[in-house]
Amino acid sequence: MSVAFTKENDRDGTEANLQDRPISPHPNLVTAEGLAMIAAALEAARAAVQEARAAGEDGTGLALARAARDFRYYAARQADAEIVPPPPADGRVHFGSRVTFDRDDGRRQTFRIVGEDEAEPAKGTISYVSPVARALMGKQVGDVAVVGGGEVEIVAIG
């Protein structure tokens, strides 16, 4: 096959061609813990870049490409992070609130509403731009919100 039909960095199949991690179009709201997590991830990516270079990678290796991609992502996220102070104790759901609600099917769930990079639903945190968080924002104990096609009733806010 002619070189004219290949990408410049695909010629021998060894170069890493990773696209940058997508950056959310939403404001990068974070808790203080979220900013610390981003800083730790940035430092880990920086160390991984140095490690890959020390191992002799010259910019074409996959480990260096992944580390550099992560470094660029977390550097950008740290640069545009907006720390949101703890939520006010006004009885309403805000960014940073821990919300407990009952679902129609009898399940009780508790989530803390946090920034996008710190959200891990399996660990009890959800992004403020998630449909669940959007439905709960501004509500108070006893209010009902529509989440995922069903109703949830807020039973506690902390």
Side-chain angles (χ1 to χ4, degrees):
M1 173 176 13
S2 168
V3 172
F5 296 105
T6 64
K7 294 180 194 166
E8 183 176 325
N9 60 352
D10 284 345
R11 290 189 183 150
D12 68 4
T14 61
E15 292 93 353
N17 184 19
L18 299 178
Q19 293 191 6
D20 278 342
R21 293 174 64 175
I23 302 284
S24 172
H26 302 286
N28 187 15
L29 304 181
V30 296
T31 63
E33 300 89 354
L35 185 58
M37 185 271 322
I38 290 170
L42 179 60
E43 188 52 41
R46 182 186 331 271
V49 166
Q50 292 171 346
E51 198 174 293
R53 286 189 178 140
E57 289 199 23
D58 63 359
T60 61
L62 188 56
L64 181 56
R66 284 183 178 153
R69 176 188 62 184
D70 288 348
F71 180 82
R72 288 188 303 275
Y73 176 81
Y74 286 112
R77 295 304 276 173
Q78 186 177 53
D80 70 0
E82 298 175 37
I83 297 178
V84 177
D90 65 358
R92 297 198 173 276
V93 177
H94 298 278
F95 183 96
S97 295
R98 185 172 310 282
V99 185
T100 302
F101 54 88
D102 290 335
R103 291 188 174 267
D104 283 343
D105 62 8
R107 289 181 295 154
R108 176 167 283 188
Q109 293 183 297
T110 301
F111 291 107
R112 183 171 180 226
I113 300 171
V114 297
E116 293 178 279
D117 291 316
E118 55 189 310
E120 290 188 55
K123 293 184 178 181
T125 55
I126 57 173
S127 167
Y128 80 100
V129 298
S130 70
V132 173
R134 287 182 185 198
L136 298 174
M137 290 290 208
K139 303 274 195 254
Q140 53 191 351
V141 172
D143 284 352
V144 173
V146 177
V147 173
E151 289 186 346
V152 300
E153 181 180 352
I154 298 172
V155 296
I157 300 170

